[in-house]
Amino acid sequence: MSGTSVDVEPGSQPPPEDDTAFFGQPKGLLTLSGLEVWERFSFLGMQAILVLYFADSVANEGMGMSAGTAASVSAAYGTLVYLVSVAGGWLADRMLGSYRAVLWGGILIACGHYSMAVPTATMTWVGLGLISAGTGLLKPNVATMVGKLYRTDDERRDAGFALYYMAINIGAFAGPLITGWLGDHKGWHWGFSAAAIGMTFGLVQYVAGRRHLAGRRHAAEFALARGAMRRAVRLIVVGVVVTGVVATALALAGWLTMDRFVDLLTLVSVIAPVVYFTVMFTSPRVTAEERGRLKPYIVLFLASTVFNFILFQAYSTMMLLASTNAETTILGFDFPASWYASALGAFEVGLAPFVAALWVRMGRGQPHASNKIAIGVVLGGLSFLLMVVPTSGHSGDDYLMSVWWIVGSYLLLGLGDILLETSGMSATTKLAPAAFSSQTMSLWFLSLALANGIQAQTVKLYDDVSHPAYFGVNGAIAVAAGLAVMAAAPWLRRTMHPVH
């Protein structure tokens, strides 16, 4: 991150602050935001129908799972996606470089969606595996490349991340509309096909705009020595092959069941961040000053985990609730239940410009990053507490709540997501030790893995407890966590320099 080397291409350093070609932001933000539009179109478009596909009957080309199992498996898939992001960050820092890591990640994602377009159960699992690997390469490194567009003291950074997050949610809005309609009217695999085409568009525009990107190097920024590189490649290849062979053998022997695989992913999602924080705290590459900034980052990590535990259920338990207990008609127009997921993206698209403009207008007077994150967590909890009202007083599953309850819940969740994710990603790029730049963003995504890992266990209770109890308890825990972060704000402000 600091200094230059002979392998730096023109434009690899952060651009000057007079680069304001894209709504006052660097032109490279347009390229990266365009990629994320299509990546989120494909990922969340598929995610919006995935749990419904799992829960649908085999006769309707579904997987025939119970609601709780479908939500748990969907969450486990999310856990795997974000666990792989650790490897994605390491590969970018030590072997590929950010640009090539994102490129290869997008290629794997596209191949995964094309695989899921094939109407067989086997190709579904193959596709989910490819998408997990590709997203792990792409997601942390795109966010890192956004951070490289700005100098550390550039006050446009938070606003830039807000615009970037708005672009993400254009895809989050459009994806479920297209895949949901196709899944409802043509079949689930037609929806998966649309996701594949979307990711292909994203790759094309990413390559076309590569000259505007900062940090585009011939080699990784902290590349391994040639001998270590060869050993690492051999180890990766052997590890992937051995893991595949062992997993296949255990599955054929009847030991590696779906439930055990979900439990294993949850366990790994808990252990991985503990190990990763330990490695970074003890690494000789990390200075004492950088180590001090990692301590408050633990608080931000846990806040992200709590919030995303709620957020990801917008695509699991909330989808299941919408499909069985919510109206799917508005002003006489019938729509697929999966379209509710688009409301979340629509709110984030609509609100993000106002949030970005507010931070620019307030300048140094804006709330500290930790307070933005805390407010986001509280709003996430309130989105679940709101669902207690329409689900109370019903003993069976034959009631239908108004459209506006779920829409209102997603409004709170969307605003909370903007506050937390934009501030969290921006703070991550500032607090990251130089030698772990991409990997620290991977650590942020490990909070998403942990959130999904916990969710994979919790959603199993969805079929066994009342809806008011399920949403009420989870929402109350999130609100309490957000208030705890607010209480820690004075300490966080002191220790998070240069974050403000």
Side-chain angles (χ1 to χ4, degrees):
M1 298 262 300
S2 60
T4 60
S5 61
V6 295
D7 64 348
V8 180
E9 292 185 353
S12 66
Q13 294 300 305
E17 293 190 16
D18 60 0
D19 179 1
T20 58
F22 179 54
F23 293 102
Q25 302 291 331
K27 190 178 295 184
L29 185 63
L30 175 61
T31 298
L32 297 174
S33 297
L35 172 65
E36 279 286 24
V37 167
W38 290 109
E39 190 276 332
R40 289 292 91 180
F41 173 95
S42 63
F43 184 85
L44 293 178
M46 184 270 286
Q47 192 84 350
I49 62 175
L50 184 64
V51 71
L52 301 178
Y53 164 64
F54 283 155
D56 202 0
S57 66
V58 175
N60 288 331
E61 296 188 347
M63 299 289 278
M65 300 179 185
S66 68
T69 299
S72 181
V73 173
S74 181
Y77 157 67
T79 306
L80 183 60
V81 165
Y82 294 111
L83 282 175
V84 176
S85 71
V86 177
W90 185 88
L91 285 168
D93 275 349
R94 303 290 187 257
M95 298 181 72
L96 296 174
S98 296
Y99 173 78
R100 284 185 292 178
V102 170
L103 178 63
W104 282 107
I107 291 171
L108 288 175
I109 292 170
C111 290
H113 286 299
Y114 282 116
S115 297
M116 292 189 69
V118 180
T120 66
T122 299
M123 293 306 291
T124 293
W125 301 122
V126 169
L128 290 175
L130 289 171
I131 295 169
S132 298
T135 306
L137 271 175
L138 185 146
K139 284 298 289 181
N141 295 309
V142 174
T144 298
M145 292 175 77
V146 172
K148 289 178 180 179
L149 295 173
Y150 303 91
R151 302 187 187 279
T152 303
D153 58 353
D154 191 336
E155 291 185 6
R156 299 177 300 165
R157 179 184 287 255
D158 279 13
F161 268 99
L163 286 173
Y164 166 71
Y165 214 66
M166 180 186 72
I168 288 176
N169 287 290
I170 292 174
F173 166 69
L177 291 180
I178 303 300
T179 61
W181 188 89
L182 288 171
D184 195 57
H185 290 80
K186 298 293 185 181
W188 301 118
H189 298 282
W190 281 88
F192 299 145
S193 297
I197 294 170
M199 191 64 238
T200 303
F201 286 154
L203 281 170
V204 171
Q205 74 85 41
Y206 174 67
V207 174
R210 65 188 182 278
R211 66 185 181 278
H212 303 303
L213 302 177
R216 185 167 62 90
R217 296 171 176 262
H218 290 299
E221 197 162 359
F222 296 92
L224 297 171
R226 184 170 299 177
M229 183 79 75
R230 285 196 295 267
R231 290 192 296 272
V233 170
R234 285 197 298 268
L235 183 61
I236 290 170
V237 172
V238 171
V240 169
V241 171
V242 170
T243 300
V245 170
V246 171
T248 301
L250 291 175
L252 292 174
W255 187 90
L256 187 61
T257 62
M258 183 59 68
D259 284 343
R260 284 177 175 166
F261 183 66
V262 170
D263 294 343
L264 178 62
L265 286 177
T266 297
L267 180 62
V268 174
S269 75
V270 173
I271 294 173
V274 174
V275 171
Y276 221 78
F277 270 115
T278 301
V279 168
M280 294 175 70
F281 271 110
T282 58
S283 172
R285 291 172 174 259
V286 178
T287 67
E289 182 181 358
E290 290 173 333
R291 198 170 290 116
R293 291 199 296 265
L294 282 175
K295 293 177 182 178
Y297 189 69
I298 296 175
V299 177
L300 305 189
F301 177 91
L302 294 175
S304 172
T305 300
V306 173
F307 176 81
N308 282 290
F309 169 75
I310 300 292
L311 177 68
F312 290 136
Q313 293 192 64
Y315 299 94
S316 60
T317 55
M318 289 290 284
M319 278 293 96
L320 293 169
L321 182 68
S323 68
T324 56
N325 298 113
E327 295 178 354
T328 53
T329 301
I330 186 168
L331 301 177
F333 176 74
D334 294 326
F335 59 91
S338 56
W339 279 19
Y340 275 111
S342 287
L344 183 59
F347 284 129
E348 298 198 25
V349 170
L351 293 170
F354 293 101
V355 173
L358 178 63
W359 297 156
V360 171
R361 184 178 181 83
M362 295 181 70
R364 293 190 177 276
Q366 63 188 275
H368 189 262
S370 62
N371 281 325
K372 296 176 187 176
I373 290 170
I375 295 170
V377 177
V378 169
L379 289 172
L382 291 176
S383 75
F384 258 35
L385 288 178
L386 180 64
M387 299 311 299
V388 174
V389 179
T391 58
S392 295
H394 302 284
S395 58
D397 287 332
D398 56 349
Y399 67 94
L400 291 178
M401 70 181 75
S402 167
V403 168
W404 304 112
W405 286 108
I406 294 183
V407 170
S409 176
Y410 280 4
L411 172 61
L412 293 171
L413 193 58
L415 180 56
D417 195 26
I418 292 171
L419 293 176
L420 184 136
E421 291 297 340
T422 56
S423 298
M425 287 190 294
S426 178
T428 296
T429 62
K430 295 176 186 177
L431 295 174
F436 289 85
S437 58
S438 292
Q439 293 177 76
T440 307
M441 188 58 74
S442 296
L443 188 57
W444 180 255
F445 286 105
L446 269 184
S447 72
L448 312 187
L450 180 56
N452 269 306
I454 296 171
Q455 183 198 163
Q457 303 302 319
T458 305
V459 294
K460 293 177 182 179
L461 301 174
Y462 181 76
D463 288 329
D464 300 327
V465 301
S466 69
H467 290 159
Y470 183 86
F471 291 107
V473 172
N474 288 329
I477 292 173
V479 169
L483 295 176
V485 176
M486 288 183 187
W491 175 74
L492 291 169
R493 280 194 295 269
R494 289 195 307 270
T495 55
M496 284 177 62
H497 179 76
V499 178
H500 53 77

PDB file of all heavy atoms in Angstrom, residues 17-40:
ATOM      1  N   GLU A  17      -6.883  13.972  -5.874  1.00  0.00           N
ATOM      2  CA  GLU A  17      -8.224  14.276  -5.390  1.00  0.00           C
ATOM      3  C   GLU A  17      -9.037  15.085  -6.391  1.00  0.00           C
ATOM      4  O   GLU A  17     -10.223  15.302  -6.182  1.00  0.00           O
ATOM      5  CB  GLU A  17      -8.142  14.989  -4.046  1.00  0.00           C
ATOM      6  CG  GLU A  17      -7.594  14.096  -2.938  1.00  0.00           C
ATOM      7  CD  GLU A  17      -7.737  14.710  -1.557  1.00  0.00           C
ATOM      8  OE1 GLU A  17      -8.516  15.665  -1.414  1.00  0.00           O
ATOM      9  OE2 GLU A  17      -7.081  14.222  -0.626  1.00  0.00           O
ATOM     10  N   ASP A  18      -8.399  15.568  -7.489  1.00  0.00           N
ATOM     11  CA  ASP A  18      -9.180  16.262  -8.504  1.00  0.00           C
ATOM     12  C   ASP A  18      -9.752  15.305  -9.546  1.00  0.00           C
ATOM     13  O   ASP A  18     -10.355  15.734 -10.527  1.00  0.00           O
ATOM     14  CB  ASP A  18      -8.350  17.355  -9.180  1.00  0.00           C
ATOM     15  CG  ASP A  18      -7.100  16.798  -9.873  1.00  0.00           C
ATOM     16  OD1 ASP A  18      -6.885  15.572  -9.825  1.00  0.00           O
ATOM     17  OD2 ASP A  18      -6.350  17.604 -10.447  1.00  0.00           O
ATOM     18  N   ASP A  19      -9.566  13.985  -9.350  1.00  0.00           N
ATOM     19  CA  ASP A  19     -10.224  12.981 -10.197  1.00  0.00           C
ATOM     20  C   ASP A  19     -11.659  12.850  -9.701  1.00  0.00           C
ATOM     21  O   ASP A  19     -11.940  12.128  -8.751  1.00  0.00           O
ATOM     22  CB  ASP A  19      -9.493  11.642 -10.105  1.00  0.00           C
ATOM     23  CG  ASP A  19     -10.147  10.556 -10.957  1.00  0.00           C
ATOM     24  OD1 ASP A  19     -11.153  10.852 -11.634  1.00  0.00           O
ATOM     25  OD2 ASP A  19      -9.638   9.421 -10.939  1.00  0.00           O
ATOM     26  N   THR A  20     -12.565  13.577 -10.328  1.00  0.00           N
ATOM     27  CA  THR A  20     -13.957  13.622  -9.880  1.00  0.00           C
ATOM     28  C   THR A  20     -14.914  13.273 -11.014  1.00  0.00           C
ATOM     29  O   THR A  20     -16.017  13.804 -11.101  1.00  0.00           O
ATOM     30  CB  THR A  20     -14.291  15.021  -9.338  1.00  0.00           C
ATOM     31  OG1 THR A  20     -14.045  15.983 -10.383  1.00  0.00           O
ATOM     32  CG2 THR A  20     -13.441  15.358  -8.126  1.00  0.00           C
ATOM     33  N   ALA A  21     -14.498  12.360 -11.900  1.00  0.00           N
ATOM     34  CA  ALA A  21     -15.252  12.079 -13.120  1.00  0.00           C
ATOM     35  C   ALA A  21     -16.582  11.370 -12.868  1.00  0.00           C
ATOM     36  O   ALA A  21     -17.484  11.440 -13.702  1.00  0.00           O
ATOM     37  CB  ALA A  21     -14.395  11.240 -14.069  1.00  0.00           C
ATOM     38  N   PHE A  22     -16.722  10.675 -11.745  1.00  0.00           N
ATOM     39  CA  PHE A  22     -17.929   9.882 -11.472  1.00  0.00           C
ATOM     40  C   PHE A  22     -18.625  10.443 -10.226  1.00  0.00           C
ATOM     41  O   PHE A  22     -18.320  10.091  -9.114  1.00  0.00           O
ATOM     42  CB  PHE A  22     -17.548   8.411 -11.270  1.00  0.00           C
ATOM     43  CG  PHE A  22     -18.708   7.509 -10.949  1.00  0.00           C
ATOM     44  CD1 PHE A  22     -19.822   7.459 -11.776  1.00  0.00           C
ATOM     45  CD2 PHE A  22     -18.683   6.700  -9.819  1.00  0.00           C
ATOM     46  CE1 PHE A  22     -20.895   6.619 -11.476  1.00  0.00           C
ATOM     47  CE2 PHE A  22     -19.748   5.855  -9.523  1.00  0.00           C
ATOM     48  CZ  PHE A  22     -20.851   5.821 -10.351  1.00  0.00           C
ATOM     49  N   PHE A  23     -19.571  11.365 -10.438  1.00  0.00           N
ATOM     50  CA  PHE A  23     -20.294  11.995  -9.338  1.00  0.00           C
ATOM     51  C   PHE A  23     -19.345  12.521  -8.264  1.00  0.00           C
ATOM     52  O   PHE A  23     -19.578  12.341  -7.067  1.00  0.00           O
ATOM     53  CB  PHE A  23     -21.303  11.022  -8.721  1.00  0.00           C
ATOM     54  CG  PHE A  23     -22.438  10.658  -9.635  1.00  0.00           C
ATOM     55  CD1 PHE A  23     -22.448   9.439 -10.285  1.00  0.00           C
ATOM     56  CD2 PHE A  23     -23.483  11.541  -9.865  1.00  0.00           C
ATOM     57  CE1 PHE A  23     -23.486   9.097 -11.149  1.00  0.00           C
ATOM     58  CE2 PHE A  23     -24.524  11.215 -10.720  1.00  0.00           C
ATOM     59  CZ  PHE A  23     -24.534  10.004 -11.368  1.00  0.00           C
ATOM     60  N   GLY A  24     -18.264  13.156  -8.698  1.00  0.00           N
ATOM     61  CA  GLY A  24     -17.294  13.700  -7.763  1.00  0.00           C
ATOM     62  C   GLY A  24     -16.310  12.682  -7.236  1.00  0.00           C
ATOM     63  O   GLY A  24     -15.472  13.010  -6.385  1.00  0.00           O
ATOM     64  N   GLN A  25     -16.370  11.446  -7.727  1.00  0.00           N
ATOM     65  CA  GLN A  25     -15.517  10.360  -7.258  1.00  0.00           C
ATOM     66  C   GLN A  25     -14.581   9.919  -8.397  1.00  0.00           C
ATOM     67  O   GLN A  25     -14.805  10.242  -9.559  1.00  0.00           O
ATOM     68  CB  GLN A  25     -16.379   9.166  -6.808  1.00  0.00           C
ATOM     69  CG  GLN A  25     -17.380   9.484  -5.722  1.00  0.00           C
ATOM     70  CD  GLN A  25     -16.737   9.785  -4.396  1.00  0.00           C
ATOM     71  OE1 GLN A  25     -15.654   9.290  -4.085  1.00  0.00           O
ATOM     72  NE2 GLN A  25     -17.406  10.604  -3.581  1.00  0.00           N
ATOM     73  N   PRO A  26     -13.525   9.148  -8.082  1.00  0.00           N
ATOM     74  CA  PRO A  26     -12.617   8.653  -9.119  1.00  0.00           C
ATOM     75  C   PRO A  26     -13.345   7.808 -10.162  1.00  0.00           C
ATOM     76  O   PRO A  26     -14.303   7.093  -9.856  1.00  0.00           O
ATOM     77  CB  PRO A  26     -11.614   7.798  -8.328  1.00  0.00           C
ATOM     78  CG  PRO A  26     -11.661   8.344  -6.949  1.00  0.00           C
ATOM     79  CD  PRO A  26     -13.076   8.790  -6.725  1.00  0.00           C
ATOM     80  N   LYS A  27     -12.864   7.881 -11.406  1.00  0.00           N
ATOM     81  CA  LYS A  27     -13.510   7.156 -12.507  1.00  0.00           C
ATOM     82  C   LYS A  27     -13.483   5.646 -12.282  1.00  0.00           C
ATOM     83  O   LYS A  27     -14.380   4.928 -12.726  1.00  0.00           O
ATOM     84  CB  LYS A  27     -12.819   7.504 -13.825  1.00  0.00           C
ATOM     85  CG  LYS A  27     -13.559   7.004 -15.061  1.00  0.00           C
ATOM     86  CD  LYS A  27     -12.859   7.416 -16.346  1.00  0.00           C
ATOM     87  CE  LYS A  27     -12.882   8.932 -16.515  1.00  0.00           C
ATOM     88  NZ  LYS A  27     -12.279   9.340 -17.812  1.00  0.00           N
ATOM     89  N   GLY A  28     -12.452   5.153 -11.587  1.00  0.00           N
ATOM     90  CA  GLY A  28     -12.379   3.724 -11.323  1.00  0.00           C
ATOM     91  C   GLY A  28     -13.537   3.206 -10.496  1.00  0.00           C
ATOM     92  O   GLY A  28     -13.878   2.012 -10.563  1.00  0.00           O
ATOM     93  N   LEU A  29     -14.183   4.105  -9.725  1.00  0.00           N
ATOM     94  CA  LEU A  29     -15.337   3.683  -8.937  1.00  0.00           C
ATOM     95  C   LEU A  29     -16.475   3.233  -9.839  1.00  0.00           C
ATOM     96  O   LEU A  29     -17.246   2.338  -9.482  1.00  0.00           O
ATOM     97  CB  LEU A  29     -15.788   4.820  -8.021  1.00  0.00           C
ATOM     98  CG  LEU A  29     -16.921   4.490  -7.041  1.00  0.00           C
ATOM     99  CD1 LEU A  29     -16.486   3.413  -6.049  1.00  0.00           C
ATOM    100  CD2 LEU A  29     -17.365   5.749  -6.288  1.00  0.00           C
ATOM    101  N   LEU A  30     -16.595   3.839 -11.034  1.00  0.00           N
ATOM    102  CA  LEU A  30     -17.630   3.435 -11.983  1.00  0.00           C
ATOM    103  C   LEU A  30     -17.399   2.010 -12.463  1.00  0.00           C
ATOM    104  O   LEU A  30     -18.337   1.209 -12.543  1.00  0.00           O
ATOM    105  CB  LEU A  30     -17.653   4.402 -13.169  1.00  0.00           C
ATOM    106  CG  LEU A  30     -18.608   4.042 -14.323  1.00  0.00           C
ATOM    107  CD1 LEU A  30     -20.050   4.006 -13.836  1.00  0.00           C
ATOM    108  CD2 LEU A  30     -18.458   5.045 -15.466  1.00  0.00           C
ATOM    109  N   THR A  31     -16.143   1.669 -12.767  1.00  0.00           N
ATOM    110  CA  THR A  31     -15.828   0.318 -13.236  1.00  0.00           C
ATOM    111  C   THR A  31     -16.141  -0.722 -12.166  1.00  0.00           C
ATOM    112  O   THR A  31     -16.786  -1.748 -12.437  1.00  0.00           O
ATOM    113  CB  THR A  31     -14.346   0.227 -13.627  1.00  0.00           C
ATOM    114  OG1 THR A  31     -14.091   1.127 -14.708  1.00  0.00           O
ATOM    115  CG2 THR A  31     -13.974  -1.188 -14.054  1.00  0.00           C
ATOM    116  N   LEU A  32     -15.702  -0.466 -10.933  1.00  0.00           N
ATOM    117  CA  LEU A  32     -15.908  -1.431  -9.856  1.00  0.00           C
ATOM    118  C   LEU A  32     -17.383  -1.507  -9.453  1.00  0.00           C
ATOM    119  O   LEU A  32     -17.904  -2.585  -9.139  1.00  0.00           O
ATOM    120  CB  LEU A  32     -15.046  -1.056  -8.655  1.00  0.00           C
ATOM    121  CG  LEU A  32     -13.534  -1.106  -8.917  1.00  0.00           C
ATOM    122  CD1 LEU A  32     -12.764  -0.586  -7.708  1.00  0.00           C
ATOM    123  CD2 LEU A  32     -13.087  -2.522  -9.259  1.00  0.00           C
ATOM    124  N   SER A  33     -18.057  -0.361  -9.470  1.00  0.00           N
ATOM    125  CA  SER A  33     -19.483  -0.369  -9.141  1.00  0.00           C
ATOM    126  C   SER A  33     -20.278  -1.110 -10.206  1.00  0.00           C
ATOM    127  O   SER A  33     -21.223  -1.850  -9.895  1.00  0.00           O
ATOM    128  CB  SER A  33     -19.997   1.066  -9.012  1.00  0.00           C
ATOM    129  OG  SER A  33     -19.352   1.752  -7.959  1.00  0.00           O
ATOM    130  N   GLY A  34     -19.891  -0.935 -11.487  1.00  0.00           N
ATOM    131  CA  GLY A  34     -20.577  -1.653 -12.554  1.00  0.00           C
ATOM    132  C   GLY A  34     -20.424  -3.157 -12.424  1.00  0.00           C
ATOM    133  O   GLY A  34     -21.372  -3.919 -12.657  1.00  0.00           O
ATOM    134  N   LEU A  35     -19.228  -3.596 -12.040  1.00  0.00           N
ATOM    135  CA  LEU A  35     -19.026  -5.025 -11.806  1.00  0.00           C
ATOM    136  C   LEU A  35     -19.941  -5.526 -10.698  1.00  0.00           C
ATOM    137  O   LEU A  35     -20.571  -6.583 -10.818  1.00  0.00           O
ATOM    138  CB  LEU A  35     -17.565  -5.293 -11.441  1.00  0.00           C
ATOM    139  CG  LEU A  35     -17.248  -6.723 -10.991  1.00  0.00           C
ATOM    140  CD1 LEU A  35     -17.473  -7.715 -12.134  1.00  0.00           C
ATOM    141  CD2 LEU A  35     -15.818  -6.817 -10.466  1.00  0.00           C
ATOM    142  N   GLU A  36     -20.033  -4.741  -9.610  1.00  0.00           N
ATOM    143  CA  GLU A  36     -20.835  -5.177  -8.471  1.00  0.00           C
ATOM    144  C   GLU A  36     -22.326  -5.181  -8.789  1.00  0.00           C
ATOM    145  O   GLU A  36     -23.071  -5.971  -8.222  1.00  0.00           O
ATOM    146  CB  GLU A  36     -20.559  -4.284  -7.258  1.00  0.00           C
ATOM    147  CG  GLU A  36     -19.303  -4.666  -6.505  1.00  0.00           C
ATOM    148  CD  GLU A  36     -19.469  -5.938  -5.686  1.00  0.00           C
ATOM    149  OE1 GLU A  36     -20.346  -6.770  -6.008  1.00  0.00           O
ATOM    150  OE2 GLU A  36     -18.716  -6.103  -4.717  1.00  0.00           O
ATOM    151  N   VAL A  37     -22.774  -4.283  -9.675  1.00  0.00           N
ATOM    152  CA  VAL A  37     -24.181  -4.320 -10.095  1.00  0.00           C
ATOM    153  C   VAL A  37     -24.538  -5.702 -10.620  1.00  0.00           C
ATOM    154  O   VAL A  37     -25.522  -6.325 -10.203  1.00  0.00           O
ATOM    155  CB  VAL A  37     -24.468  -3.253 -11.176  1.00  0.00           C
ATOM    156  CG1 VAL A  37     -25.828  -3.511 -11.838  1.00  0.00           C
ATOM    157  CG2 VAL A  37     -24.448  -1.856 -10.581  1.00  0.00           C
ATOM    158  N   TRP A  38     -23.696  -6.212 -11.511  1.00  0.00           N
ATOM    159  CA  TRP A  38     -24.009  -7.489 -12.148  1.00  0.00           C
ATOM    160  C   TRP A  38     -23.695  -8.675 -11.241  1.00  0.00           C
ATOM    161  O   TRP A  38     -24.384  -9.694 -11.290  1.00  0.00           O
ATOM    162  CB  TRP A  38     -23.270  -7.609 -13.471  1.00  0.00           C
ATOM    163  CG  TRP A  38     -23.819  -6.680 -14.511  1.00  0.00           C
ATOM    164  CD1 TRP A  38     -23.243  -5.558 -15.019  1.00  0.00           C
ATOM    165  CD2 TRP A  38     -25.103  -6.786 -15.130  1.00  0.00           C
ATOM    166  NE1 TRP A  38     -24.070  -4.965 -15.926  1.00  0.00           N
ATOM    167  CE2 TRP A  38     -25.230  -5.693 -16.027  1.00  0.00           C
ATOM    168  CE3 TRP A  38     -26.164  -7.689 -15.029  1.00  0.00           C
ATOM    169  CZ2 TRP A  38     -26.359  -5.489 -16.808  1.00  0.00           C
ATOM    170  CZ3 TRP A  38     -27.289  -7.491 -15.810  1.00  0.00           C
ATOM    171  CH2 TRP A  38     -27.372  -6.411 -16.682  1.00  0.00           C
ATOM    172  N   GLU A  39     -22.655  -8.541 -10.410  1.00  0.00           N
ATOM    173  CA  GLU A  39     -22.348  -9.638  -9.488  1.00  0.00           C
ATOM    174  C   GLU A  39     -23.478  -9.809  -8.481  1.00  0.00           C
ATOM    175  O   GLU A  39     -23.907 -10.928  -8.183  1.00  0.00           O
ATOM    176  CB  GLU A  39     -21.023  -9.362  -8.771  1.00  0.00           C
ATOM    177  CG  GLU A  39     -20.498 -10.543  -7.972  1.00  0.00           C
ATOM    178  CD  GLU A  39     -21.091 -10.652  -6.574  1.00  0.00           C
ATOM    179  OE1 GLU A  39     -21.470  -9.608  -6.009  1.00  0.00           O
ATOM    180  OE2 GLU A  39     -21.177 -11.784  -6.045  1.00  0.00           O
ATOM    181  N   ARG A  40     -23.990  -8.691  -7.933  1.00  0.00           N
ATOM    182  CA  ARG A  40     -25.111  -8.771  -6.988  1.00  0.00           C
ATOM    183  C   ARG A  40     -26.405  -9.168  -7.697  1.00  0.00           C
ATOM    184  O   ARG A  40     -27.253  -9.850  -7.095  1.00  0.00           O
ATOM    185  CB  ARG A  40     -25.293  -7.444  -6.265  1.00  0.00           C
ATOM    186  CG  ARG A  40     -24.201  -7.118  -5.265  1.00  0.00           C
ATOM    187  CD  ARG A  40     -24.201  -8.040  -4.066  1.00  0.00           C
ATOM    188  NE  ARG A  40     -23.347  -9.221  -4.242  1.00  0.00           N
ATOM    189  CZ  ARG A  40     -23.191 -10.158  -3.313  1.00  0.00           C
ATOM    190  NH1 ARG A  40     -23.823 -10.073  -2.155  1.00  0.00           N
ATOM    191  NH2 ARG A  40     -22.399 -11.189  -3.533  1.00  0.00           N
TER     192      ARG A  40
END
